[in-house]
Amino acid sequence: MSNVKNINRELYLKFEYASFRELEELLLAAHTREEKAFYRALLNLKLQIAQERVVGEQLV
């Protein structure tokens, strides 16, 4: 179970430190519909979190 927690934490940190530009580049480089949907979802989540910081209330 510890390995799963480490993987989850690692994935989260990669998302947390990814810039909008990096996520956009991954989206543009995606080859499949599923891959594009995945990166678009990550980009949208990143944008929502940034909006929360500006507005000062939870949106997600």
PDB file of all heavy atoms in Angstrom, residues 21-45:
ATOM      1  N   ARG A  21       1.709  26.331 -19.441  1.00  0.00           N
ATOM      2  CA  ARG A  21       2.353  26.145 -20.747  1.00  0.00           C
ATOM      3  C   ARG A  21       2.736  24.689 -20.960  1.00  0.00           C
ATOM      4  O   ARG A  21       2.547  24.139 -22.047  1.00  0.00           O
ATOM      5  CB  ARG A  21       3.584  27.055 -20.853  1.00  0.00           C
ATOM      6  CG  ARG A  21       4.228  27.011 -22.198  1.00  0.00           C
ATOM      7  CD  ARG A  21       3.331  27.660 -23.236  1.00  0.00           C
ATOM      8  NE  ARG A  21       3.790  27.306 -24.566  1.00  0.00           N
ATOM      9  CZ  ARG A  21       2.999  27.012 -25.575  1.00  0.00           C
ATOM     10  NH1 ARG A  21       1.706  27.075 -25.438  1.00  0.00           N
ATOM     11  NH2 ARG A  21       3.491  26.685 -26.723  1.00  0.00           N
ATOM     12  N   GLU A  22       3.291  24.046 -19.936  1.00  0.00           N
ATOM     13  CA  GLU A  22       3.669  22.629 -20.054  1.00  0.00           C
ATOM     14  C   GLU A  22       2.443  21.768 -20.329  1.00  0.00           C
ATOM     15  O   GLU A  22       2.480  20.869 -21.177  1.00  0.00           O
ATOM     16  CB  GLU A  22       4.369  22.155 -18.787  1.00  0.00           C
ATOM     17  CG  GLU A  22       5.759  22.716 -18.617  1.00  0.00           C
ATOM     18  CD  GLU A  22       6.364  22.413 -17.255  1.00  0.00           C
ATOM     19  OE1 GLU A  22       5.631  22.390 -16.247  1.00  0.00           O
ATOM     20  OE2 GLU A  22       7.585  22.220 -17.216  1.00  0.00           O
ATOM     21  N   LEU A  23       1.349  22.040 -19.624  1.00  0.00           N
ATOM     22  CA  LEU A  23       0.132  21.265 -19.839  1.00  0.00           C
ATOM     23  C   LEU A  23      -0.439  21.526 -21.232  1.00  0.00           C
ATOM     24  O   LEU A  23      -0.926  20.597 -21.888  1.00  0.00           O
ATOM     25  CB  LEU A  23      -0.902  21.582 -18.756  1.00  0.00           C
ATOM     26  CG  LEU A  23      -0.549  21.094 -17.355  1.00  0.00           C
ATOM     27  CD1 LEU A  23      -1.547  21.635 -16.340  1.00  0.00           C
ATOM     28  CD2 LEU A  23      -0.483  19.581 -17.301  1.00  0.00           C
ATOM     29  N   GLU A  24      -0.362  22.760 -21.695  1.00  0.00           N
ATOM     30  CA  GLU A  24      -0.818  23.076 -23.056  1.00  0.00           C
ATOM     31  C   GLU A  24       0.024  22.342 -24.093  1.00  0.00           C
ATOM     32  O   GLU A  24      -0.512  21.820 -25.078  1.00  0.00           O
ATOM     33  CB  GLU A  24      -0.745  24.576 -23.312  1.00  0.00           C
ATOM     34  CG  GLU A  24      -1.795  25.368 -22.578  1.00  0.00           C
ATOM     35  CD  GLU A  24      -1.589  26.875 -22.697  1.00  0.00           C
ATOM     36  OE1 GLU A  24      -0.483  27.321 -23.096  1.00  0.00           O
ATOM     37  OE2 GLU A  24      -2.543  27.592 -22.379  1.00  0.00           O
ATOM     38  N   GLU A  25       1.329  22.293 -23.880  1.00  0.00           N
ATOM     39  CA  GLU A  25       2.214  21.581 -24.806  1.00  0.00           C
ATOM     40  C   GLU A  25       1.900  20.090 -24.840  1.00  0.00           C
ATOM     41  O   GLU A  25       1.901  19.466 -25.905  1.00  0.00           O
ATOM     42  CB  GLU A  25       3.675  21.816 -24.436  1.00  0.00           C
ATOM     43  CG  GLU A  25       4.139  23.223 -24.738  1.00  0.00           C
ATOM     44  CD  GLU A  25       5.541  23.514 -24.228  1.00  0.00           C
ATOM     45  OE1 GLU A  25       6.211  22.604 -23.689  1.00  0.00           O
ATOM     46  OE2 GLU A  25       5.967  24.678 -24.368  1.00  0.00           O
ATOM     47  N   LEU A  26       1.628  19.516 -23.672  1.00  0.00           N
ATOM     48  CA  LEU A  26       1.255  18.099 -23.624  1.00  0.00           C
ATOM     49  C   LEU A  26      -0.058  17.867 -24.363  1.00  0.00           C
ATOM     50  O   LEU A  26      -0.203  16.879 -25.089  1.00  0.00           O
ATOM     51  CB  LEU A  26       1.135  17.632 -22.167  1.00  0.00           C
ATOM     52  CG  LEU A  26       2.455  17.492 -21.413  1.00  0.00           C
ATOM     53  CD1 LEU A  26       2.191  17.309 -19.927  1.00  0.00           C
ATOM     54  CD2 LEU A  26       3.270  16.338 -21.967  1.00  0.00           C
ATOM     55  N   LEU A  27      -1.005  18.774 -24.194  1.00  0.00           N
ATOM     56  CA  LEU A  27      -2.288  18.671 -24.889  1.00  0.00           C
ATOM     57  C   LEU A  27      -2.079  18.739 -26.399  1.00  0.00           C
ATOM     58  O   LEU A  27      -2.629  17.925 -27.148  1.00  0.00           O
ATOM     59  CB  LEU A  27      -3.229  19.771 -24.419  1.00  0.00           C
ATOM     60  CG  LEU A  27      -4.573  19.883 -25.134  1.00  0.00           C
ATOM     61  CD1 LEU A  27      -5.389  18.611 -24.986  1.00  0.00           C
ATOM     62  CD2 LEU A  27      -5.348  21.089 -24.613  1.00  0.00           C
ATOM     63  N   LEU A  28      -1.288  19.683 -26.853  1.00  0.00           N
ATOM     64  CA  LEU A  28      -1.054  19.846 -28.287  1.00  0.00           C
ATOM     65  C   LEU A  28      -0.282  18.670 -28.885  1.00  0.00           C
ATOM     66  O   LEU A  28      -0.462  18.346 -30.062  1.00  0.00           O
ATOM     67  CB  LEU A  28      -0.307  21.155 -28.554  1.00  0.00           C
ATOM     68  CG  LEU A  28      -1.095  22.426 -28.261  1.00  0.00           C
ATOM     69  CD1 LEU A  28      -0.193  23.646 -28.383  1.00  0.00           C
ATOM     70  CD2 LEU A  28      -2.302  22.545 -29.180  1.00  0.00           C
ATOM     71  N   ALA A  29       0.547  18.022 -28.088  1.00  0.00           N
ATOM     72  CA  ALA A  29       1.350  16.895 -28.570  1.00  0.00           C
ATOM     73  C   ALA A  29       0.625  15.557 -28.454  1.00  0.00           C
ATOM     74  O   ALA A  29       1.116  14.545 -28.964  1.00  0.00           O
ATOM     75  CB  ALA A  29       2.663  16.827 -27.805  1.00  0.00           C
ATOM     76  N   ALA A  30      -0.530  15.549 -27.816  1.00  0.00           N
ATOM     77  CA  ALA A  30      -1.264  14.294 -27.611  1.00  0.00           C
ATOM     78  C   ALA A  30      -1.698  13.702 -28.953  1.00  0.00           C
ATOM     79  O   ALA A  30      -2.076  14.426 -29.871  1.00  0.00           O
ATOM     80  CB  ALA A  30      -2.474  14.538 -26.723  1.00  0.00           C
ATOM     81  N   HIS A  31      -1.661  12.381 -29.025  1.00  0.00           N
ATOM     82  CA  HIS A  31      -1.971  11.706 -30.279  1.00  0.00           C
ATOM     83  C   HIS A  31      -3.390  11.137 -30.315  1.00  0.00           C
ATOM     84  O   HIS A  31      -4.032  11.163 -31.361  1.00  0.00           O
ATOM     85  CB  HIS A  31      -0.972  10.577 -30.536  1.00  0.00           C
ATOM     86  CG  HIS A  31       0.431  11.085 -30.716  1.00  0.00           C
ATOM     87  ND1 HIS A  31       0.844  11.767 -31.834  1.00  0.00           N
ATOM     88  CD2 HIS A  31       1.512  11.027 -29.901  1.00  0.00           C
ATOM     89  CE1 HIS A  31       2.116  12.103 -31.712  1.00  0.00           C
ATOM     90  NE2 HIS A  31       2.546  11.668 -30.539  1.00  0.00           N
ATOM     91  N   THR A  32      -3.851  10.647 -29.191  1.00  0.00           N
ATOM     92  CA  THR A  32      -5.164  10.004 -29.199  1.00  0.00           C
ATOM     93  C   THR A  32      -6.214  10.915 -28.568  1.00  0.00           C
ATOM     94  O   THR A  32      -5.898  11.858 -27.831  1.00  0.00           O
ATOM     95  CB  THR A  32      -5.139   8.686 -28.392  1.00  0.00           C
ATOM     96  OG1 THR A  32      -4.885   8.989 -27.017  1.00  0.00           O
ATOM     97  CG2 THR A  32      -4.086   7.728 -28.927  1.00  0.00           C
ATOM     98  N   ARG A  33      -7.460  10.621 -28.847  1.00  0.00           N
ATOM     99  CA  ARG A  33      -8.577  11.369 -28.278  1.00  0.00           C
ATOM    100  C   ARG A  33      -8.550  11.293 -26.751  1.00  0.00           C
ATOM    101  O   ARG A  33      -8.776  12.283 -26.066  1.00  0.00           O
ATOM    102  CB  ARG A  33      -9.887  10.799 -28.824  1.00  0.00           C
ATOM    103  CG  ARG A  33     -11.118  11.495 -28.339  1.00  0.00           C
ATOM    104  CD  ARG A  33     -12.368  10.849 -28.962  1.00  0.00           C
ATOM    105  NE  ARG A  33     -13.563  11.495 -28.505  1.00  0.00           N
ATOM    106  CZ  ARG A  33     -14.194  11.198 -27.369  1.00  0.00           C
ATOM    107  NH1 ARG A  33     -13.732  10.236 -26.599  1.00  0.00           N
ATOM    108  NH2 ARG A  33     -15.275  11.847 -27.003  1.00  0.00           N
ATOM    109  N   GLU A  34      -8.264  10.106 -26.237  1.00  0.00           N
ATOM    110  CA  GLU A  34      -8.231   9.899 -24.793  1.00  0.00           C
ATOM    111  C   GLU A  34      -7.113  10.690 -24.138  1.00  0.00           C
ATOM    112  O   GLU A  34      -7.285  11.278 -23.079  1.00  0.00           O
ATOM    113  CB  GLU A  34      -8.081   8.406 -24.475  1.00  0.00           C
ATOM    114  CG  GLU A  34      -9.274   7.568 -24.823  1.00  0.00           C
ATOM    115  CD  GLU A  34      -9.345   7.180 -26.301  1.00  0.00           C
ATOM    116  OE1 GLU A  34      -8.383   7.450 -27.062  1.00  0.00           O
ATOM    117  OE2 GLU A  34     -10.365   6.615 -26.715  1.00  0.00           O
ATOM    118  N   GLU A  35      -5.958  10.711 -24.785  1.00  0.00           N
ATOM    119  CA  GLU A  35      -4.821  11.460 -24.251  1.00  0.00           C
ATOM    120  C   GLU A  35      -5.137  12.961 -24.249  1.00  0.00           C
ATOM    121  O   GLU A  35      -4.841  13.671 -23.285  1.00  0.00           O
ATOM    122  CB  GLU A  35      -3.588  11.174 -25.112  1.00  0.00           C
ATOM    123  CG  GLU A  35      -2.290  11.623 -24.514  1.00  0.00           C
ATOM    124  CD  GLU A  35      -1.081  11.264 -25.377  1.00  0.00           C
ATOM    125  OE1 GLU A  35      -1.236  10.674 -26.470  1.00  0.00           O
ATOM    126  OE2 GLU A  35       0.030  11.583 -24.940  1.00  0.00           O
ATOM    127  N   LYS A  36      -5.752  13.440 -25.303  1.00  0.00           N
ATOM    128  CA  LYS A  36      -6.148  14.850 -25.373  1.00  0.00           C
ATOM    129  C   LYS A  36      -7.154  15.182 -24.277  1.00  0.00           C
ATOM    130  O   LYS A  36      -7.051  16.225 -23.625  1.00  0.00           O
ATOM    131  CB  LYS A  36      -6.738  15.175 -26.747  1.00  0.00           C
ATOM    132  CG  LYS A  36      -5.700  15.199 -27.832  1.00  0.00           C
ATOM    133  CD  LYS A  36      -6.323  15.441 -29.186  1.00  0.00           C
ATOM    134  CE  LYS A  36      -5.244  15.313 -30.256  1.00  0.00           C
ATOM    135  NZ  LYS A  36      -5.741  15.512 -31.588  1.00  0.00           N
ATOM    136  N   ALA A  37      -8.124  14.295 -24.062  1.00  0.00           N
ATOM    137  CA  ALA A  37      -9.133  14.515 -23.024  1.00  0.00           C
ATOM    138  C   ALA A  37      -8.478  14.558 -21.645  1.00  0.00           C
ATOM    139  O   ALA A  37      -8.850  15.371 -20.791  1.00  0.00           O
ATOM    140  CB  ALA A  37     -10.197  13.423 -23.077  1.00  0.00           C
ATOM    141  N   PHE A  38      -7.506  13.703 -21.425  1.00  0.00           N
ATOM    142  CA  PHE A  38      -6.797  13.650 -20.149  1.00  0.00           C
ATOM    143  C   PHE A  38      -6.064  14.959 -19.880  1.00  0.00           C
ATOM    144  O   PHE A  38      -6.210  15.559 -18.814  1.00  0.00           O
ATOM    145  CB  PHE A  38      -5.813  12.471 -20.161  1.00  0.00           C
ATOM    146  CG  PHE A  38      -4.927  12.405 -18.951  1.00  0.00           C
ATOM    147  CD1 PHE A  38      -5.425  11.984 -17.730  1.00  0.00           C
ATOM    148  CD2 PHE A  38      -3.592  12.759 -19.040  1.00  0.00           C
ATOM    149  CE1 PHE A  38      -4.603  11.919 -16.608  1.00  0.00           C
ATOM    150  CE2 PHE A  38      -2.761  12.694 -17.927  1.00  0.00           C
ATOM    151  CZ  PHE A  38      -3.282  12.272 -16.712  1.00  0.00           C
ATOM    152  N   TYR A  39      -5.289  15.431 -20.849  1.00  0.00           N
ATOM    153  CA  TYR A  39      -4.530  16.666 -20.647  1.00  0.00           C
ATOM    154  C   TYR A  39      -5.436  17.892 -20.586  1.00  0.00           C
ATOM    155  O   TYR A  39      -5.162  18.834 -19.853  1.00  0.00           O
ATOM    156  CB  TYR A  39      -3.456  16.830 -21.720  1.00  0.00           C
ATOM    157  CG  TYR A  39      -2.336  15.829 -21.547  1.00  0.00           C
ATOM    158  CD1 TYR A  39      -2.011  14.931 -22.552  1.00  0.00           C
ATOM    159  CD2 TYR A  39      -1.613  15.759 -20.361  1.00  0.00           C
ATOM    160  CE1 TYR A  39      -0.991  13.998 -22.388  1.00  0.00           C
ATOM    161  CE2 TYR A  39      -0.596  14.834 -20.179  1.00  0.00           C
ATOM    162  CZ  TYR A  39      -0.299  13.961 -21.196  1.00  0.00           C
ATOM    163  OH  TYR A  39       0.707  13.044 -21.014  1.00  0.00           O
ATOM    164  N   ARG A  40      -6.534  17.874 -21.317  1.00  0.00           N
ATOM    165  CA  ARG A  40      -7.494  18.978 -21.233  1.00  0.00           C
ATOM    166  C   ARG A  40      -8.114  19.026 -19.831  1.00  0.00           C
ATOM    167  O   ARG A  40      -8.284  20.105 -19.255  1.00  0.00           O
ATOM    168  CB  ARG A  40      -8.592  18.854 -22.281  1.00  0.00           C
ATOM    169  CG  ARG A  40      -9.580  20.024 -22.231  1.00  0.00           C
ATOM    170  CD  ARG A  40     -10.518  20.075 -23.403  1.00  0.00           C
ATOM    171  NE  ARG A  40      -9.890  20.107 -24.685  1.00  0.00           N
ATOM    172  CZ  ARG A  40      -9.341  21.193 -25.247  1.00  0.00           C
ATOM    173  NH1 ARG A  40      -9.325  22.319 -24.596  1.00  0.00           N
ATOM    174  NH2 ARG A  40      -8.803  21.139 -26.438  1.00  0.00           N
ATOM    175  N   ALA A  41      -8.429  17.865 -19.270  1.00  0.00           N
ATOM    176  CA  ALA A  41      -8.987  17.811 -17.920  1.00  0.00           C
ATOM    177  C   ALA A  41      -7.981  18.344 -16.892  1.00  0.00           C
ATOM    178  O   ALA A  41      -8.351  19.089 -15.983  1.00  0.00           O
ATOM    179  CB  ALA A  41      -9.409  16.384 -17.579  1.00  0.00           C
ATOM    180  N   LEU A  42      -6.715  17.974 -17.033  1.00  0.00           N
ATOM    181  CA  LEU A  42      -5.681  18.480 -16.125  1.00  0.00           C
ATOM    182  C   LEU A  42      -5.537  19.991 -16.259  1.00  0.00           C
ATOM    183  O   LEU A  42      -5.437  20.703 -15.252  1.00  0.00           O
ATOM    184  CB  LEU A  42      -4.333  17.816 -16.410  1.00  0.00           C
ATOM    185  CG  LEU A  42      -4.172  16.367 -16.002  1.00  0.00           C
ATOM    186  CD1 LEU A  42      -2.773  15.870 -16.370  1.00  0.00           C
ATOM    187  CD2 LEU A  42      -4.424  16.166 -14.527  1.00  0.00           C
ATOM    188  N   LEU A  43      -5.542  20.481 -17.482  1.00  0.00           N
ATOM    189  CA  LEU A  43      -5.424  21.920 -17.706  1.00  0.00           C
ATOM    190  C   LEU A  43      -6.620  22.658 -17.123  1.00  0.00           C
ATOM    191  O   LEU A  43      -6.467  23.687 -16.462  1.00  0.00           O
ATOM    192  CB  LEU A  43      -5.284  22.201 -19.202  1.00  0.00           C
ATOM    193  CG  LEU A  43      -5.004  23.632 -19.623  1.00  0.00           C
ATOM    194  CD1 LEU A  43      -3.774  24.191 -18.939  1.00  0.00           C
ATOM    195  CD2 LEU A  43      -4.861  23.708 -21.128  1.00  0.00           C
ATOM    196  N   ASN A  44      -7.814  22.125 -17.329  1.00  0.00           N
ATOM    197  CA  ASN A  44      -9.014  22.751 -16.771  1.00  0.00           C
ATOM    198  C   ASN A  44      -8.984  22.764 -15.244  1.00  0.00           C
ATOM    199  O   ASN A  44      -9.365  23.757 -14.621  1.00  0.00           O
ATOM    200  CB  ASN A  44     -10.277  22.048 -17.272  1.00  0.00           C
ATOM    201  CG  ASN A  44     -10.586  22.381 -18.705  1.00  0.00           C
ATOM    202  OD1 ASN A  44     -10.146  23.399 -19.234  1.00  0.00           O
ATOM    203  ND2 ASN A  44     -11.338  21.521 -19.352  1.00  0.00           N
ATOM    204  N   LEU A  45      -8.546  21.672 -14.646  1.00  0.00           N
ATOM    205  CA  LEU A  45      -8.443  21.620 -13.187  1.00  0.00           C
ATOM    206  C   LEU A  45      -7.443  22.653 -12.677  1.00  0.00           C
ATOM    207  O   LEU A  45      -7.702  23.365 -11.702  1.00  0.00           O
ATOM    208  CB  LEU A  45      -8.044  20.218 -12.728  1.00  0.00           C
ATOM    209  CG  LEU A  45      -7.867  20.022 -11.236  1.00  0.00           C
ATOM    210  CD1 LEU A  45      -9.151  20.361 -10.472  1.00  0.00           C
ATOM    211  CD2 LEU A  45      -7.437  18.593 -10.941  1.00  0.00           C
TER     212      LEU A  45
END
